[in-house]
Amino acid sequence: MTRSTYVIGLTGGIGSGKTAVADAFAALGIEIIDTDALAHALSAVGQPGFAAIRDAFGDRILRPDGEIDRGALRRLVFADATARSRLEDALHPLIGAEVARRVEQWSGPYGLIVVPLLLERKGLRSLVDRILVVDCPEEEQVRRVVARNGLAPAEVRAIMATQLDRRQRLAAADDILDNAGTPEGIAPQVLVLDGRYRSLAAAGSG
Ligand code: ADP
């Protein structure tokens, strides 16, 4: 397969600031695929992911209005690794195919795929030319997610326990965006990375 657009895989732990960083790239006109949003869209009633989730978990996972009960699904998969694998087996092939299809339609010099578990799962790695990790201290991740989602710190830590730790993630990075500071620290770093990615894309290095 020939591909004209250079693909950056943006990852980082929960609450590290992936969305904030992706927004800063989007503000520069860079095309973004958010795989969480895609998973959400693919599992609405009538979409292929809906049938896959229903086949895997049965009607207990539906709300009275017939949509997937996301809270129930999340509790189920975080409590049960087998259930988590089943959900991933159901959804990942669909997400992979849709990401590949959208990447083909990109028109800019490079684009960005936001993949929370890029380093933990093999699925989308083959599509990615370069790995950008958003980094902040783990205590800060807990603080931000508690503030954003109203979860208890222990719940945030339970989610973090299913992800790589900070050291492992940094070891896999080609580039690191340091988001330990204020949100104002993001845009200047994104400008530098944008220049780097334009050069890499122009050089055609994969
Ligand atoms: P992720 O997408 O990695 O889960 P978000 O981009 O949603 O992370 O950021 C998590 C939360 O922390 C959000 O509420 C966001 O507004 C906030 N946030 C992001 N970056 C910073 C920062 N540098 N300082 C303080 N809060 C931040």
Side-chain angles (χ1 to χ4, degrees), residues 9-184:
L10 171 67
T11 193
I14 183 170
S16 59
K18 295 179 295 296
T19 306
V21 171
D23 288 349
F25 277 98
L28 298 178
I30 299 304
E31 289 159 294
I32 314 280
I33 301 169
D34 179 334
T35 56
D36 268 353
L38 199 54
H40 208 286
L42 282 172
S43 54
V45 171
Q47 297 298 311
F50 177 86
I53 292 172
R54 189 181 186 174
D55 288 348
F57 295 103
D59 287 351
R60 66 187 166 142
I61 214 65
L62 300 184
R63 297 191 316 213
D65 69 357
E67 291 283 351
I68 305 282
D69 182 339
R70 288 175 200 287
L73 189 60
R74 188 166 48 240
R75 282 190 292 279
L76 198 65
V77 300
F78 277 115
D80 177 351
T82 309
R84 188 156 64 235
S85 305
R86 241 187 309 155
L87 178 66
E88 291 181 354
D89 290 348
L91 275 185
H92 284 188
L94 299 170
I95 295 171
E98 182 61 17
V99 170
R101 195 183 69 76
R102 292 189 186 192
V103 164
E104 288 301 316
Q105 296 172 346
W106 277 347
S107 55
Y110 74 93
L112 211 135
I113 311 177
V114 186
V115 192
L117 298 180
L118 181 64
L119 304 174
E120 287 84 348
R121 306 282 183 276
K122 286 206 165 61
L124 293 168
R125 284 287 283 278
S126 59
L127 277 176
V128 165
D129 295 305
R130 198 165 171 96
I131 295 170
L132 169 59
V133 167
V134 183
D135 177 62
C136 75
E138 289 175 341
E139 286 311 306
E140 184 63 24
Q141 284 178 258
V142 175
R143 266 195 295 277
R144 289 178 189 172
V145 178
V146 166
R148 183 187 63 187
N149 297 78
L151 297 181
E155 292 179 282
V156 183
R157 288 184 205 284
I159 294 171
M160 288 167 64
T162 69
Q163 306 184 340
L164 289 189
D165 68 26
R166 189 181 184 192
R167 188 184 50 80
Q168 293 169 313
R169 198 180 282 112
L170 289 174
D174 294 307
D175 304 296
I176 296 166
L177 191 139
D178 175 5
N179 192 32
T182 65
E184 290 69 36

